[in-house]
Amino acid sequence: MPTKDRILNNALRLLGEPPSTGVDDTSPWVKRLLGAHDDVLQGMLESYPWNFAVKVQQLAADATADKTGWDYAFTKPGLCWRLMGVSDRADWRPGDYEIPYDDQRGFILTNFETTYLMFVDGTFKDREGDWPQVFADYLAAKLAHSVAPVTDEGNSTMERIERALVDRRRAAKAWDAQSKAPWKIPLGRYLTSRHAGIRTPARSGRYGR
């Protein structure tokens, strides 16, 4: 199970430095890695829709918020680090049953009384035990890369870190893609009616608009 200490030691190995002695370690490399940790991790969670960190949440309406032309305003979760989509259904996926929305001033604006938000949940920044190991390995490489000197003798350290970064990024994203169930968007009304031997007039959009 990934832990912060193991991730730091992983990064130290890539840097060619000795392992940390524990939570009271004040060595320069450990301090540099700890100083970069939160920014690097947040950037990783914001930059990609990691399946393990995705959450679907029904939003709470705020009757006092400025709706600016929309029917409803909903309070946006404070740790929504990557917005993936909005729907009026709990059982949905991006590309299926999404609804129009706007994201303004900390509110999600829609025309639907019931609104769900799919997003990367920032609470996972402190939940290392829920991360896949491949993500923790990728974070270690990102941390090492962020604090490594631009040049060193023969550039061997940076080259080693950059190779690890590419390999670990690929492995983490491949694992994430494989962890998602196959999904096909359902056939539309026109195609399903043709398969049944019946033709019906095509409608424009889910809501007939």
Side-chain angles (χ1 to χ4, degrees), residues 33-46 81 139 142-143 146:
L33 290 169
L34 287 173
H37 178 276
D38 289 353
D39 289 342
V40 171
L41 174 56
Q42 181 165 348
M44 287 175 62
L45 288 171
E46 288 180 345
W81 279 5
L139 173 58
K142 289 277 285 185
L143 287 171
S146 71

Side-chain angles (χ1 to χ4, degrees), residues 42-93:
Q42 181 165 348
M44 287 175 62
L45 288 171
E46 288 180 345
S47 65
Y48 190 78
W50 301 102
N51 189 52
F52 71 88
V54 169
K55 181 177 181 179
V56 175
Q57 177 176 318
Q58 184 173 357
L59 301 181
D62 187 326
T64 65
D66 179 8
K67 303 176 184 62
T68 61
W70 297 82
D71 292 339
Y72 299 95
F74 299 90
T75 303
K76 186 177 177 181
L79 289 175
C80 172
W81 279 5
R82 182 187 177 97
L83 194 157
M84 297 175 60
V86 180
S87 179
D88 61 334
R89 297 171 45 139
D91 57 336
W92 68 288
R93 298 193 183 191

